[in-house]
Every structure is written in C-alpha cells, then in structure tokens.
Amino acid sequence: GQNIDQPTEMTATEGAIVQINCTYQTSGFNGLFWYQQHAGEAPTFLSYNVLDGLEEKGRFSSFLSRSKGYSYLLLKELQMKDSASYLCAVKDSNYQLIWGAGTKLIIKP
Amino acid sequence: IAGITQAPTSQILAAGRRMTLRCTQDMRHNAMYWYRQDLGLGLRLIHYSNTAGTTGKGEVPDGYSVSRANTDDFPLTLASAVPSQTSVYFCASSSQTSTGELFFGEGSRLTVL
C-alpha cells in the first residue's frame, strides 16, 4: 500500500531551526509537496521537489532523496506565526496526491 | 481575487438529510477536487474533475456525488448524510504550472447528528 509518514507533533523555540521529516512509500513518484495549514484554515502551498536536492525559498527549504524515499522541510529563524501543521504529499504514478497526516509544529517563546 | 469560495462555512445536519456543499473558483483552473480532512488522518480525496464535463472517483467516494457542468463550479452532494460524514471538507483546484500545486477553499465544517 501507499504510505506517507511524518511526526505527529514537534516543538521548537522562537528564533531556532526545526527540521520536519517525511518518508514515503508510493507506487511511483512524480513530485513531493509541502503545505502549511494554520488551525482552522486551508492548506497553502510551500514547496515542490521532483529532483534530488535542496530547494530554498526564504526561511523555508525542502530537501528530497528519491532513492531513500525521504524529504524534509527546514524552517529557519522560527517565528510565532510558523505555528501550524505541515503536510507532506507525494504525487504517485497516476498523478494522484497521497497525503501524510501532517506534523503539528508548536513554537514557544 | 477570490480564488476558491466554499459554502456553507459550517453546517449541522440531521442524519438522512440531503446536503450540497458548493464550490466556485475564478482562476479558470481545469482540475478541481473535493477532500475531507479528519483528525489524525491525511487529506482524503472524495471526487475529482480534470475538466468540465468529466468527474472521477477518489479514495473515499461512497455516499458522495459531484457534477461539473462548467469550469467554475464543482458542487459536492451527500444524498443521505450519515454521522461518519462529519468532517471538514475542502474544495481545491490545481494550477496549470508544471508543479500543479493545489489551491484550497477555506473549508466547510459539516456535523451530521
């Protein structure tokens, strides 16, 4: 079966760095997405990786290793507004998105 | 720019009643989707439409139906609601870019009693 694993919850301190991991087992691979979802709101797109390596976008970076079925989202200089859930999703061989359950990130002052 | 508009935002419904969740987009995206989101689970695809006039079943289609009469509208209907359909429902559309990222509506919180 297809599976996306990510930690349920993480806690970090304002101003610090946090890495949220995502491992996947899917039938085929056509890209990996990270979305941010604040409580009670809709998910919003953060990043997309289809080739191995690091994609940097401001304070956020996303890494992909297709051979290991592994990605991480790196958040630097954490701000209180970064408190949210972070959803990992993989597009499979049929171009359907398979979603992880999300990682709730709690930022403490 | 409105993006994707969903209605209603929240609804309490008696079991057995019929309910239609509305979704309208103004981005001229061809592909649209309906997901449900439940605590502890990832987003699960209910139905999708790759273009006006066509629809397809997702992971959890039972008890739901959709239609796509035009590009902008993609309503989701629960013919006879059951308590297990209590959830937050998100409508989404995907862009025409190479990434195909999704744009989501604000969600419709449905409670079936």
Side-chain angles (χ1 to χ4, degrees), chain A residues 8 30 33 35 37 40-45 47-48 85 87 91 95-102, chain B residues 33 35 37 40-45 48 50 58 90 98-107 109:
Chain A
T8 302
N30 282 297
F33 295 82
Y35 284 78
Q37 185 177 24
E41 298 183 7
T44 55
F45 170 74
S47 69
Y48 172 75
S85 289
L87 314 181
K91 194 172 283 187
Y95 292 89
Q96 294 296 322
L97 275 176
I98 311 300
W99 294 84
Chain B
Y33 312 85
Y35 286 94
Q37 187 175 42
L41 299 177
L43 288 163
R44 292 184 292 170
L45 183 64
Y48 65 93
N50 288 328
F90 286 102
S98 58
T99 62
E101 73 265 26
L102 296 182
F103 294 81
F104 287 86
E106 289 304 308
R109 181 175 295 274

Side-chain angles (χ1 to χ4, degrees), chain B residues 30-99:
Chain B
N30 283 328
M32 296 187 74
Y33 312 85
W34 274 105
Y35 286 94
R36 60 177 291 173
Q37 187 175 42
D38 302 289
L39 198 63
L41 299 177
L43 288 163
R44 292 184 292 170
L45 183 64
I46 304 170
H47 285 287
Y48 65 93
S49 169
N50 288 328
T51 189
T54 68
T55 62
K57 294 182 179 180
E59 180 186 355
V60 288
D62 294 344
Y64 306 95
S65 64
V66 292
S67 61
R68 188 86 184 278
N70 56 61
T71 298
D72 298 344
D73 301 301
F74 191 43
L76 176 74
T77 297
L78 289 68
S80 179
V82 295
S84 62
Q85 292 177 311
T86 294
S87 187
V88 180
Y89 291 86
F90 286 102
C91 180
S93 67
S94 60
S95 69
Q96 317 292 2
T97 64
S98 58
T99 62

Side-chain angles (χ1 to χ4, degrees), chain A residues 19-20 22 24 29 31-34 47-57 60-74:
Chain A
Q19 178 176 309
I20 302 173
C22 170
Y24 63 90
F29 179 86
L32 184 144
F33 295 82
W34 284 96
S47 69
Y48 172 75
N49 294 70
V50 66
L51 299 176
D52 291 350
L54 189 68
E55 294 281 343
E56 298 186 79
K57 192 184 294 185
F60 292 9
S61 302
S62 56
F63 171 84
L64 174 67
S65 169
R66 288 172 296 172
S67 63
K68 296 181 178 179
Y70 169 69
S71 173
Y72 68 72
L73 181 69
L74 191 72

Side-chain angles (χ1 to χ4, degrees), chain A residues 7-11 102-106:
Chain A
T8 302
E9 187 173 297
M10 299 182 70
T11 302
T103 299
K104 182 178 181 180
L105 178 63
I106 299 168

